[in-house]
């Protein structure tokens, strides 16, 4: 499953496993979990102005 492997690689690259492990322990619904994961994996805009 290349898609799952790519997702796992991204989780590892961001060092998010401890965070995701805690979210899973809280036992959110699949929809809540997916939304949280999507927000966490979004890349920051490269040209974002820092104030």
């Amino acid at each position: 499953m290349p898609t799952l492997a790519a997702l796992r690689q991204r989780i590892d690259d961001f060092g998010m496993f401890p965070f995701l492990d805690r979210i899973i322990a809280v036992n959110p619904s699949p929809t809540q979990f997916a939304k949280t994961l999507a927000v966490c994996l979004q890349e920051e805009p490269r040209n974002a102005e820092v104030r």
Side-chain angles (χ1 to χ4, degrees):
M1 295 187 178
T3 305
L4 289 177
L7 176 60
R8 178 56 194 254
Q9 184 61 50
R10 208 143 175 200
I11 289 169
D12 291 343
D13 290 346
F14 283 107
M16 293 178 53
F17 181 77
F19 172 73
L20 293 174
D21 189 46
R22 294 207 180 191
I23 289 177
I24 292 167
V26 174
N27 198 20
S29 73
T31 302
Q32 290 171 323
F33 178 78
K35 286 180 180 179
T36 301
L37 183 60
V39 168
C40 291
L41 291 177
Q42 286 180 352
E43 291 187 31
E44 293 292 322
R46 297 192 188 274
N47 295 326
E49 184 178 321
V50 177
R51 295 179 187 232

